[in-house]
Amino acid sequence: MAATVSGGKEINLRVGQGVDVHAFAEGRPLIVGGVNIPYSQGLAGHSDADVLTHAVCDALLGAAGLGDIGHFFPDTDDRYMNADSLHLLTEVMRMLEGVEMKVVNIDATIMAQEPKLTPYMADMKQKLAKTIGVDTARISLKATTTEHMGFVGRREGMAAMAVALLVR
Ligand SMILES: [Zn+2]
């Protein structure tokens, strides 16, 4: 258990990471961080395949030592078919409340060769911050291409990584 001593008082901090990948598919909406982004393809998945929100959920669950979203929201469960991943994030926040953990900050990176995500980042940050119940200053979002290398570079899909710090 991570613990820091500050002024004689123990602060219980936990860090967690999340990684997610989804393939592009025709005829799907592209939803990243709860934002619908105009593009020729969307991401394939059982839920809305929101790669960023999934990585954030896994970072939060990981920090709390609760497991991963595949465990809580299995793709064999019809309730999560085309599910709005912000709803899954709301559920994750309820679980964190259950173990009395609060978000200190989240830092996430989206990996995509296309489309350009910068115009949508402020909106994504707003939606995630609102769902998590923190100020936008506690959410950091970044985007990168992979310089045309690998599955992201070949525009076969998108990936996201997130780190979350929690305090009890
Ligand atoms: Zn996912």
Side-chain angles (χ1 to χ4, degrees), residues 51-121:
V51 69
L52 172 60
T53 303
H54 291 178
V56 168
C57 285
D58 263 355
L60 293 168
L61 288 170
L66 292 173
D68 62 40
I69 53 170
H71 174 73
F72 292 106
F73 314 110
D75 60 11
T76 48
D77 191 331
D78 283 347
R79 280 180 300 165
Y80 305 117
M81 174 105 69
N82 296 319
D84 177 346
S85 293
L86 290 180
H87 291 164
L88 306 185
L89 180 56
T90 302
E91 294 274 313
V92 168
M93 293 315 298
R94 269 197 214 113
M95 291 179 215
L96 294 194
E97 261 171 49
V99 292
E100 296 175 351
M101 302 220 70
K102 283 188 178 146
V103 173
V104 177
N105 74 303
I106 290 168
D107 183 27
T109 304
I110 311 159
M111 296 159 77
Q113 195 63 46
E114 278 181 9
K116 281 255 177 291
L117 298 169
T118 315
Y120 308 100
M121 301 278 262

Side-chain angles (χ1 to χ4, degrees), residues 20-22 47 49-51 54-55 69:
D20 196 35
V21 172
H22 284 272
S47 66
D50 184 337
V51 69
H54 291 178
I69 53 170

Side-chain angles (χ1 to χ4, degrees), residues 27-43:
R28 294 268 305 176
L30 177 59
I31 296 163
V32 183
V35 177
N36 207 319
I37 296 170
Y39 189 54
S40 56
Q41 300 180 89
L43 293 172

Side-chain angles (χ1 to χ4, degrees), residues 1-4 10-14 101 166-168:
M1 183 173 299
T4 309
E10 194 177 69
I11 303 170
N12 192 351
L13 292 170
R14 302 283 194 94
M101 302 220 70
L166 301 181
V167 64
R168 178 177 276 144

